[in-house]
Amino acid sequence: MENTEQICALLEQKCGLFREYEEATHALLACELDEMETHVRKREQLAKAIDGIDRQIEALCGGSEEWMGAVRNCGNRGDLSAEMAQVYDSAQPVFQIINRIRREEPLVEKRMSRERDGLEAKIKDSNRSTAAQASRYFSGARGSESALSGGHFGRV
């Protein structure tokens, strides 16, 4: 296929994007709470860029399942033509990175859940505090005063 070099070049770009995605994933495990959103957004941007490369690769493969199999590292490399083997080999580093990311993803999810739970606990504690209770009491008392001064009880 004449597009072999283009496909391999796109796979190399995809590999670079996945390296950045992996770095953002590592950062989510170690960053401060206020930095998490930045790394999550970075991963979203990288995922969109990776999807764009995937669409370009699919177009270059022209709907051939055999070529897409080489791109996806499916099947036996020994059964492939020299060009398809080149694509298969170019895709290999991408899948190595993907596998490392998949192993870290549960750790990221646990960290995010722990942070969420911690924030929820702080909010609940804050709502139970004496200051919060006093604030609710006084805001309720102010509402009663406005009802009294509004003339609702003057007609009784």
Side-chain angles (χ1 to χ4, degrees), residues 44-116:
E44 289 172 354
Q45 292 169 347
L46 290 165
K48 287 179 185 177
I50 291 166
D51 289 343
I53 288 177
D54 283 341
R55 284 190 295 276
Q56 291 176 50
I57 290 172
E58 287 175 20
L60 288 170
C61 288
S64 167
E65 283 302 313
E66 192 174 31
W67 278 93
M68 286 306 296
V71 168
R72 294 182 184 124
N73 269 173
C74 296
N76 184 353
R77 184 190 182 283
D79 294 340
L80 301 174
S81 69
E83 288 181 317
M84 283 191 205
Q86 184 180 355
V87 169
Y88 187 97
D89 292 344
S90 294
Q92 194 71 38
V94 173
F95 288 96
Q96 291 169 348
I97 296 168
I98 289 171
N99 285 330
R100 289 193 305 263
I101 293 169
R102 284 183 179 154
R103 284 192 303 267
E104 280 194 339
E105 201 64 32
L107 300 173
V108 170
E109 290 174 11
K110 282 182 184 177
R111 165 128 197 256
M112 293 178 93
S113 292
R114 236 184 4 258
E115 295 293 348
R116 182 197 64 226

Side-chain angles (χ1 to χ4, degrees), residues 1-8 60-61 67 83 86-87:
M1 177 182 263
E2 60 192 47
N3 297 328
T4 303
E5 288 181 24
Q6 289 176 298
I7 293 170
C8 290
L60 288 170
C61 288
W67 278 93
E83 288 181 317
Q86 184 180 355
V87 169

Side-chain angles (χ1 to χ4, degrees), residues 3 10 19 32 63 83 127:
N3 297 328
L10 286 169
R19 279 189 194 104
E32 296 294 323
E83 288 181 317
N127 286 339

Side-chain angles (χ1 to χ4, degrees), residues 13 23 31 33 42 49 53-54 60 69 75 77 100 119 134:
Q13 288 178 25
E23 289 170 12
C31 69
L33 179 61
K42 175 74 172 177
I53 288 177
D54 283 341
L60 288 170
R77 184 190 182 283
R100 289 193 305 263
L119 290 172

